[in-house]
Amino acid sequence: MTIADEIKRLKKEKNAIILAHNYQSPEIQDLSDFTGDSLELAIVAKNAKEDIIVLCGVMFMAETAKILNPSKKVLIPAEDAGCPLADYLTAEKVRAAKEKYPKAKVVLYVNSTADSKSEADIVCTSANAVSVCESLDSDTILFGPDSNLASWVAEKLPYKKIIPLPADGHCPLHAEFKPSDAKEAKERGYTVVCHPECPKAVRDECDVVASTGQMIKEAVKSDKWAVMTEKDMVHRLKKEFPDKEFLGFETAVCRDMKLITPDMLKKTLEDEMPEIILSDEIIKSAGSAIERMIKIKK
Ligand code: CIZ
């Protein structure tokens, strides 16, 4: 039996569903029942009927699945798959900012810890950050932890005051892209798309700024794309559009997303571990901020 067959057998035996983020390795994407961005994964997890949800992604994604569907057993094959961006913001920092700006609403990117989320008015992803901020009645918004995404939202909503929380939070992978990467790809005839977590100077050089889910929707508009986000997004795009050309950036690797291997996935199904355990209090407080986002969607 191949490992893929073993995983399929275990999945059936245990009544499990495997969800994978767009940044997972091609092998894990291909073994999953559903691949998507964090908003799509959250919605699929919320509606999952299976007894077990295996989340192949990073910790905050598995926590979100548990928060949205707490009666299910939620497993993550790599317990140490964290997010350096999420680590920029603690719940304590959010509380301090709320004291300083008592009238502001707090919008936290889904790439934040469950503790920080429990201090937020609403959560957002890169797919809906602009609509979530637009939906709020407050003109002042504390937005964290990605300062580049905060500046992208501020550009789109110039009539709102978007305060980044903290001022320097960033994704190390997206912050590494340079404006010259986009310029060179354009010279080679590519339409260039970058993620809104890229710095403004990079975004300004690109043809399109999009979350990974939006990249799939935008892809119909050109036959030749340079894709400035995690390198394995290209695998997802090629599967969706086999006749188009996609140029990835091989050094743009999210190490945390690459911790999960097919062997680990199989072992996780066998042992039903590691399991996500969250307190009822966190599930309730972080849950309301996430549920509010899901109602807005995009
Ligand atoms: O929202 C997500 O899943 C992330 C981390 C990126 C994206 O744009 O999909």
Side-chain angles (χ1 to χ4, degrees):
M1 235 192 214
T2 65
I3 189 152
D5 291 336
E6 287 275 357
I7 288 172
K8 217 185 244 173
R9 181 188 63 76
L10 283 161
K11 222 172 48 175
K12 196 163 172 218
E13 182 188 307
K14 309 252 174 170
N15 191 24
I17 183 169
I18 301 173
L19 311 182
H21 190 267
N22 288 328
Y23 295 161
Q24 286 289 297
S25 67
E27 302 78 47
I28 297 294
Q29 290 190 33
D30 294 348
L31 288 167
S32 73
D33 297 296
F34 178 84
T35 307
D37 66 15
S38 52
L39 177 61
E40 292 162 337
L41 295 177
I43 294 168
V44 174
K46 178 178 161 64
N47 298 321
K49 299 280 178 284
E50 291 78 1
D51 298 321
I52 296 179
I53 300 169
V54 185
L55 203 307
C56 296
V58 295
M59 189 48 99
F60 76 80
M61 296 173 183
E63 286 176 347
T64 304
K66 181 70 186 175
I67 288 167
L68 290 170
N69 205 342
S71 67
K72 305 296 176 185
K73 189 178 254 190
V74 177
L75 308 174
I76 181 165
E79 242 180 328
D80 49 345
C83 174
L85 171 58
D87 294 342
Y88 271 97
L89 195 58
T90 58
E92 213 165 44
K93 281 189 192 167
V94 184
R95 280 193 291 273
K98 286 201 304 196
E99 263 177 40
K100 196 167 168 198
Y101 299 96
K103 291 202 175 119
K105 286 270 157 64
V106 179
V107 179
L108 287 196
Y109 195 24
V110 70
N111 304 37
S112 53
T113 63
D115 267 354
S116 299
K117 281 190 188 92
S118 64
E119 294 292 333
D121 291 296
I122 188 161
V123 166
C124 74
T125 72
S126 41
N128 62 13
V130 174
S131 358
V132 164
C133 292
E134 199 174 20
S135 76
L136 299 173
D137 51 13
S138 170
D139 286 339
T140 306
I141 293 172
L142 292 164
F143 187 103
D146 193 303
S147 57
N148 289 318
L149 185 62
S151 81
W152 166 244
V153 173
E155 267 174 50
K156 295 279 161 195
L157 304 175
Y159 52 91
K160 297 229 184 218
K161 184 174 179 192
I162 310 286
I163 303 170
L165 182 67
D168 59 347
H170 63 271
C171 161
L173 180 157
H174 289 100
E176 273 300 300
F177 284 110
K178 302 276 173 290
S180 56
D181 296 327
K183 272 191 206 150
E184 281 160 24
K186 274 195 202 165
E187 278 160 21
R188 291 167 60 195
Y190 290 95
T191 307
V192 184
V193 61
C194 79
H195 196 273
E197 287 174 22
C198 290
K200 176 170 167 50
V202 174
R203 297 196 308 260
D204 286 350
E205 284 299 333
C206 292
D207 299 295
V208 181
V209 178
S211 68
T212 63
Q214 289 161 349
M215 285 179 189
I216 292 167
K217 293 187 187 113
E218 289 287 321
V220 289
K221 297 182 184 164
S222 172
D223 288 333
K224 212 175 150 183
W225 286 96
V227 183
M228 297 175 75
T229 189
E230 214 282 340
K231 76 176 185 64
D232 285 327
M233 182 60 201
V234 164
H235 178 74
R236 178 74 210 282
L237 285 161
K238 277 188 180 153
K239 265 176 103 169
E240 299 285 335
F241 301 97
D243 298 333
K244 293 186 188 284
E245 190 185 331
F246 296 99
L247 172 74
F249 290 76
E250 281 306 302
T251 54
V253 179
C254 173
R255 307 241 164 256
D256 289 276
M257 283 283 183
K258 299 300 173 302
L259 290 174
I260 299 173
T261 63
D263 280 332
M264 285 165 84
L265 175 54
K266 177 171 156 262
K267 187 149 173 43
T268 297
L269 279 164
E270 278 166 353
D271 300 348
E272 298 186 20
M273 280 174 59
E275 183 180 356
I276 302 293
I277 308 284
L278 294 172
S279 70
D280 290 346
E281 199 188 331
I282 290 282
I283 290 179
K284 201 161 164 251
S285 50
S288 42
I290 301 172
E291 292 281 2
R292 256 175 241 133
M293 164 189 82
I294 287 191
K295 285 200 186 103
I296 292 174
K297 259 170 112 184
K298 283 193 188 144

